[in-house]
Amino acid sequence: MAGTEYTIQGGRTDADRLARQAEVMGSATTAFLVECGARPGAACLDVGCGTGQVTVDLARLAGPGGRVVGVDIDPGELVIARKAAADARTAVTFARADAAEVLEPAAFDLAFARLVLSHLADPVAVLRAMVTEVRPGGVVAVEDIYTPSLHADPPAPALDRLIEVYSATVRAHGGDPAIGPRLPALLASVGLDDVHERTVVNRMTTTREKLFLAELVDNMRAATVAAGVATPDEVDALRAAVAAAAERPDTVFLQARMHQVRGTRPG
């Protein structure tokens, strides 16, 4: 994706948040990847791979006989991703490129993108590239968000304000923070067959898990202020309120609903 569209600071600034997010989403994403064909010997592409959590999981699923490539526009995040893959002793290739660029035509069994399309002014361009990158019969799969469904039990007003601020910031940069329900139509529009959708809600029960939303406020600070969505003092107050709610042991955060959608390139 173009760096001007993505509203969250990347590189080492965002590495801890992404690690916490990966813990929250890991089980549901891995089950989805297996359903989409991530198996021993598969060739898989992780589009907008960030710091590589999903890429490494794909490499474990594909095994030594498979091939996994991660692509991202952020050089700082790719440095972290390469180290993560080396530490996990997985064979992964990483490339710096825009998500809408075609890396290798018809080279993969599976092309996957998580929490990428919602940030883009032209998500269809990325989907078209992903279709081109999979072989006939290959799968294009995406996992993305419906932000208005973020909530806590018992309710936490700070999350209501977070929904407002996050959504307005993403929209100011051309994205759609409620893209989830649109995904089946978008995948069908680029010519994919056999489009399937399911939704999951990931629970955050520990303070460590819940604090990834406070880190999100931190790492969107510059974009939020630049867009005129909130003042620096308002961002600070929101961050403090989200962190306070996260630290309450009796409060469970329910991550915004994730739409997991896949389709097959016609043979």
Side-chain angles (χ1 to χ4, degrees):
M1 70 188 73
T4 55
E5 289 177 279
Y6 197 61
T7 55
I8 305 170
Q9 284 185 277
R12 298 193 182 280
T13 302
D14 203 33
D16 187 66
R17 181 192 69 87
L18 287 174
R20 296 181 196 231
Q21 176 180 275
E23 293 173 11
V24 171
M25 299 183 67
S27 296
T29 294
T30 298
F32 182 48
L33 293 172
V34 171
E35 177 185 301
C36 293
R39 59 178 62 92
C44 304
L45 176 65
D46 185 13
V47 177
C49 66
T51 52
Q53 289 92 352
V54 173
T55 327
V56 169
D57 287 343
L58 280 169
R60 292 189 178 111
L61 292 169
R67 177 177 178 241
V68 175
V69 177
V71 59
D72 203 278
I73 196 67
D74 188 319
E77 295 204 341
L78 289 175
V79 169
I80 298 168
R82 290 187 178 100
K83 184 178 185 304
D87 290 346
R89 299 184 179 181
T90 54
V92 178
T93 300
F94 290 98
R96 185 185 180 194
D98 188 281
E101 294 179 33
V102 175
L103 200 65
E104 297 177 51
F108 300 96
D109 302 301
L110 169 63
F112 175 74
R114 183 171 82 176
L115 293 172
V116 172
L117 300 186
S118 57
H119 290 277
L120 304 181
D122 188 6
V124 171
V126 175
L127 288 173
R128 288 195 185 107
M130 294 170 72
V131 171
T132 302
E133 288 162 328
V134 298
R135 304 179 177 109
V139 173
V140 171
V142 296
E143 189 175 21
D144 223 310
I145 200 166
Y146 181 66
T147 299
S149 60
L150 173 67
H151 65 288
D153 183 19
L159 295 194
D160 296 332
R161 178 59 177 155
L162 176 57
I163 290 170
E164 295 174 358
V165 169
Y166 177 86
S167 297
T169 303
V170 171
R171 288 194 179 100
H173 287 77
D176 180 1
I179 199 171
R182 295 174 53 210
L183 293 175
L186 292 178
L187 267 66
S189 76
V190 296
L192 292 166
D193 288 341
D194 197 26
V195 175
H196 291 273
E197 176 189 28
R198 73 177 176 194
T199 62
V200 297
V201 175
N202 297 302
R203 292 167 55 87
M204 293 172 267
T205 57
T206 69
T207 297
R208 173 179 169 78
E209 291 171 341
K210 290 181 282 184
L211 279 174
F212 105 74
L213 292 180
E215 290 185 316
L216 175 64
V217 177
D218 288 336
N219 296 346
M220 290 184 65
R221 178 190 179 91
T224 297
V225 173
V229 172
T231 66
D233 286 347
E234 289 170 337
V235 175
D236 291 343
L238 174 60
R239 201 272 184 209
V242 172
E247 290 165 358
R248 289 201 293 266
D250 64 333
T251 299
V252 175
F253 285 4
L254 290 303
Q255 188 184 24
R257 187 176 71 235
M258 290 292 158
H259 290 248
Q260 299 177 327
V261 186
R262 60 180 171 86
T264 303
R265 179 177 175 178

